[in-house]
């Protein structure tokens, strides 16, 4: 594989990883919950996105609207985060074991829902990205759809930075993350903040799943495969850091592309060798904060 093709494949993988991991990091940063359902939300977004676009096509909708339809489908699928958060609300402030068990229970429930609604067979929107054609730069060409997904991830990164650092809501979110009791004393509605943050994190995960479905099959194995890479990104970048999610996704995306191209049997090991290396040198990640 040419170097440019390899780099572009890495950027596409990193873009999807960033969308999912940014949601996970956002939720942990505010609510201090390690959301194991991130992979399940990703898979749900993929299945739901495929079904919505199939319905849209059956109604005579043009294939050129693939990208916006999938984004809308992902946003709609993310509304399931409302139900998940209402249940998780019962374990806020309790021992971390309760939180992990609750989110793992959701993983199992999502798995059964996916199997019941869509069956055990993988689903794929085959060849649809080709409607956008290819982008040519000199002697190199790459799919325009993949470039659009990368652009979407960069846009989301910019919007998250603007939301958290430049808006009143972002200031409240940061205050809640730093000191919940003080934020409540100053009048912040932390219950509403929890809901808004969890919904935003869920929608990022489901949009990531919806956007990836034209390039890979939706399957029941998606949650586990994704969560392995997602938590590698979290460890490398630092738990709770959006900047860490961005850099960690780039590192894992590049490692995965290199491994699949040259050493397929080392795909998972190569990622976790870097994870071990980071844990040894900087246990709280590249942008994480050391525990007090």
């Amino acid at each position: 594989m040419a170097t440019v093709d390899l780099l572009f494949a890495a950027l596409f993988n990193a873009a999807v990883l960033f969308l999912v991991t940014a949601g996970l990091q956002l939720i942990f940063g505010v609510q201090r919950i390690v959301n194991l359902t991130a992979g399940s939300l990703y898979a749900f977004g993929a299945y739901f996105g495929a079904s919505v676009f199939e319905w849209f096509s059956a109604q005579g909708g043009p294939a050129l609207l693939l990208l916006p339809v999938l984004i809308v489908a992902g946003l709609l699928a993310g509304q399931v985060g409302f139900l998940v958060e209402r249940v998780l609300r019962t374990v806020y402030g309790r021992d971390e074991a309760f939180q992990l068990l609750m989110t793992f229970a959701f993983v199992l429930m999502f798995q059964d829902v996916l199997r019941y609604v869509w069956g055990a067979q993988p689903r794929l929107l085959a060849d649809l990205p080709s409607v956008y054609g290819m982008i040519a730069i000199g002697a190199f060409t790459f799919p325009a759809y993949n470039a659009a997904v990368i652009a979407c991830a960069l846009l989301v990164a910019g919007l998250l930075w603007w939301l958290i650092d430049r808006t009143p809501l972002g200031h409240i979110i940061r205050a809640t993350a730093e000191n919940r009791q003080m934020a409540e004393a100053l009048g912040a509605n932390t219950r509403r903040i929890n809901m808004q943050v969890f919904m935003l994190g869920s929608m990022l995960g489901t949009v990531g799943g919806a956007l990836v479905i034209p390039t890979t099959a939706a399957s029941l194995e998606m949650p586990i495969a994704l969560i392995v890479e997602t938590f590698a990104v979290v460890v490398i970048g630092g738990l709770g850091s959006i900047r860490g999610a961005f850099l960690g996704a780039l590192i894992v995306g590049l490692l995965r592309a290199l491994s699949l191209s040259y050493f397929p049997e080392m795909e998972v090991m190569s990622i976790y060798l870097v994870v071990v290396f980071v844990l040894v040198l900087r246990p709280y990640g590249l942008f994480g904060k050391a525990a007090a």
Side-chain angles (χ1 to χ4, degrees), residues 160-173:
L160 284 175
W161 170 82
W162 173 77
L163 171 68
I164 295 173
D165 284 8
R166 292 291 184 267
T167 68
L169 175 60
H171 296 158
I172 296 173
I173 289 174

Side-chain angles (χ1 to χ4, degrees), residues 51-94:
S51 296
V52 168
F53 190 79
E54 287 170 353
W55 172 85
F56 178 76
S57 298
Q59 307 308 308
L64 280 173
L65 293 180
L66 171 67
L67 183 64
V69 168
L70 290 179
I71 291 175
V72 171
L75 293 173
L76 290 175
Q79 304 309 304
V80 73
F82 175 82
L83 298 176
V84 176
E85 197 277 338
R86 289 301 295 266
V87 177
L88 288 179
R89 187 178 294 179
T90 61
V91 295
Y92 288 167
R94 300 184 67 180

Side-chain angles (χ1 to χ4, degrees), residues 233-247:
V233 172
V234 168
V235 172
I236 293 170
L239 196 54
S241 170
I242 300 297
R243 287 186 302 165
F246 188 86
L247 182 59

Side-chain angles (χ1 to χ4, degrees), residues 13-255:
N13 290 335
V16 175
L17 267 177
F18 169 73
L19 290 173
V20 180
T21 311
L24 190 152
Q25 296 281 55
L26 193 62
I27 291 170
F28 178 83
V30 174
Q31 294 161 281
R32 293 297 186 266
I33 287 182
V34 179
N35 184 22
L36 296 179
T37 61
S40 299
L41 291 169
Y42 169 79
F44 179 64
Y47 277 103
F48 190 77
S51 296
V52 168
F53 190 79
E54 287 170 353
W55 172 85
F56 178 76
S57 298
Q59 307 308 308
L64 280 173
L65 293 180
L66 171 67
L67 183 64
V69 168
L70 290 179
I71 291 175
V72 171
L75 293 173
L76 290 175
Q79 304 309 304
V80 73
F82 175 82
L83 298 176
V84 176
E85 197 277 338
R86 289 301 295 266
V87 177
L88 288 179
R89 187 178 294 179
T90 61
V91 295
Y92 288 167
R94 300 184 67 180
D95 189 271
E96 292 176 358
F98 287 100
Q99 301 171 1
L100 289 172
L101 287 172
M102 184 71 78
T103 57
F104 183 67
F106 272 111
V107 171
L108 300 179
M109 288 188 286
F110 267 108
Q111 195 78 349
D112 285 343
V113 168
L114 296 178
R115 183 180 291 107
Y116 177 79
V117 176
W118 286 284
Q121 295 301 317
R123 298 173 70 92
L124 176 65
L125 297 177
D127 298 326
L128 280 176
S130 62
V131 301
Y132 289 103
M134 305 290 286
I135 295 176
I137 299 179
F140 304 104
T141 60
F142 44 87
Y145 177 82
N146 292 24
V149 172
I150 294 171
C152 286
L154 291 173
L155 178 62
V156 168
L159 288 175
L160 284 175
W161 170 82
W162 173 77
L163 171 68
I164 295 173
D165 284 8
R166 292 291 184 267
T167 68
L169 175 60
H171 296 158
I172 296 173
I173 289 174
R174 290 165 61 190
T176 303
E178 290 294 330
N179 193 320
R180 181 177 300 273
Q181 289 74 25
M182 182 62 72
E184 290 175 345
L186 293 173
N189 187 338
T190 56
R191 175 170 290 193
R192 185 173 64 185
I193 292 298
N194 285 339
M195 174 62 73
Q196 292 171 336
V197 167
F198 199 91
M199 289 288 292
L200 177 56
S202 297
M203 287 188 287
L204 287 172
T206 51
V207 167
L211 289 179
V212 81
I213 190 58
T215 65
T216 188
S219 67
L220 297 178
E221 291 74 32
M222 285 184 84
I224 301 302
L226 187 279
I227 210 67
V228 168
E229 295 182 2
T230 298
F231 278 101
V233 172
V234 168
V235 172
I236 293 170
L239 196 54
S241 170
I242 300 297
R243 287 186 302 165
F246 188 86
L247 182 59
L250 283 175
I251 293 172
V252 172
L254 182 59
L255 283 173

